[in-house]
Amino acid sequence: MKPWVLVSPSSRGIGLELARRLLRTTDVPIVATARKDLDQTREHVLSGLDGVQEDRFQVLKVDMLDEQTMADAASHLKTSFPSKESYLHLSLILPGILHPEKSPTQSNYDHALQTLQVNALGPLMMLKHFSPFLPRKSTTLESPPGLPSQAVWATMSARVGSITDNNLGGWYSYRASKAAVNQITKTFDNHLKTSAGEKALAISLHPGTVKTGLSKDFWGNVKEEKLFSAEFSAEKLMEVVCSRGVGARGRIWDWKGEEIPP
């Protein structure tokens, strides 16, 4: 069985750097997604990656607000990766938007709805359409260099999604969306225990504060040593993904490999 990897989205920030890193450090097919400008995303990911086999990389249209794009992408991949010949070894689901709300009076219905749709419902619908590609108990796994020994479904969360760790308040819809991600992760991992046994697991990830468009308004409030580049974040997140075994399943892990309480 031949493994492949999904990184969604990959048009910028951490997703772009994760796709680039995986192309450099593995030899498996990489599927990236973008909401628009697919050719531009492909060009940005491949830029400067001399010697990489470009034919093992493809970019598909996926919009976290449009389930049909997910269904279409999954349908396309059934041809590229037939279930009898291949399986999804690593899925990195990374959407994120943030509308700051320091107090309840700053909450906006449309902004809150969009936050929940992109950050939580988007990953849930990705599960619906792409989790069938994951291995089952009967699947024979490979151990490709640069990837975890088991199949991993990893979804981007955030420390502020922890209810236990919430001592500051604020960011109501963003916190709620990431808490939902953690619940989705745990629930899906329970499903994987039945369908895949120890051959696949689900985790949530916290990348730290990364210098991307999502956190731009808050760079000034973060110590320089705590403000990470997207390249550094991609490196650390892959270290976490590759070092977590089945004992880590269903839980939330930060970029240092430390568990965040739910």
Side-chain angles (χ1 to χ4, degrees):
M1 299 285 279
K2 299 298 182 182
W4 58 280
V5 171
L6 172 66
V7 185
S8 180
S10 306
S11 54
R12 57 185 178 178
I14 300 173
L16 187 149
E17 294 301 334
L18 279 166
R20 287 173 57 80
R21 183 171 186 80
L22 286 159
L23 283 167
R24 289 197 307 268
T25 59
T26 75
D27 58 6
V28 302
I30 308 296
V31 177
T33 78
R35 184 170 55 88
K36 58 181 181 179
D37 301 328
L38 305 191
D39 290 340
Q40 184 181 79
T41 296
R42 180 178 176 83
E43 180 182 342
H44 287 170
V45 171
L46 292 173
S47 177
L49 298 184
D50 299 331
V52 168
Q53 292 178 290
E54 296 186 10
D55 61 351
R56 68 182 176 95
F57 177 62
Q58 60 178 306
V59 182
L60 301 179
K61 178 180 175 63
V62 167
D63 184 340
M64 292 293 162
L65 293 174
D66 185 351
E67 185 186 354
Q68 189 58 51
T69 64
M70 303 176 198
D72 291 344
S75 178
H76 170 81
L77 291 174
K78 288 178 182 177
T79 301
S80 301
F81 304 110
S83 60
K84 293 183 179 180
E85 302 174 7
S86 57
Y87 69 93
L88 177 57
H89 194 95
L90 174 61
S91 176
L92 298 164
I93 308 301
L94 313 164
I97 60 168
L98 168 62
H99 297 288
E101 305 144 332
K102 293 182 179 179
S103 74
T105 59
Q106 293 179 326
S107 297
N108 174 282
Y109 184 91
D110 291 333
H111 287 171
L113 179 60
Q114 183 189 47
T115 299
L116 291 164
Q117 286 176 316
V118 171
N119 293 355
L121 293 180
L124 178 58
M125 293 301 102
M126 291 294 285
L127 273 178
K128 173 182 176 180
H129 293 285
F130 290 92
S131 64
F133 291 104
L134 289 167
R136 302 188 68 81
K137 288 180 179 178
S138 60
T139 304
T140 301
L141 299 187
E142 287 197 7
S143 298
L147 292 176
S149 55
Q150 305 92 355
V152 176
W153 185 284
T155 307
M156 190 67 80
S157 185
R159 186 176 297 278
V160 296
S162 169
I163 296 172
T164 304
D165 192 56
N166 183 359
N167 298 309
L168 295 177
W171 295 17
Y172 291 84
S173 59
Y174 186 74
R175 284 183 185 275
S177 70
K178 293 304 185 179
V181 164
N182 297 338
Q183 183 67 279
I184 291 168
T185 292
K186 178 62 177 178
T187 304
F188 179 54
D189 188 69
N190 287 336
H191 169 80
L192 287 177
K193 289 177 183 178
T194 300
S195 65
E198 295 190 351
K199 293 185 177 180
L201 59 93
I203 58 175
S204 294
L205 297 171
H206 167 57
T209 303
V210 183
K211 215 168 184 180
T212 64
L214 183 141
S215 64
K216 187 173 182 179
D217 291 341
F218 312 103
W219 293 352
N221 300 325
V222 180
K223 294 180 180 179
E224 187 63 30
E225 65 271 20
K226 294 291 187 180
L227 185 58
F228 306 142
S229 68
E231 296 92 334
F232 176 82
S233 179
E235 175 186 354
K236 301 307 287 186
L237 290 176
M238 281 307 303
E239 287 179 3
V240 172
V241 167
C242 289
S243 63
R244 302 302 94 176
V246 291
R249 65 187 314 156
R251 293 147 73 184
I252 311 113
W253 301 94
D254 74 5
W255 62 275
K256 300 187 296 296
E258 296 179 358
E259 185 177 4
I260 296 173

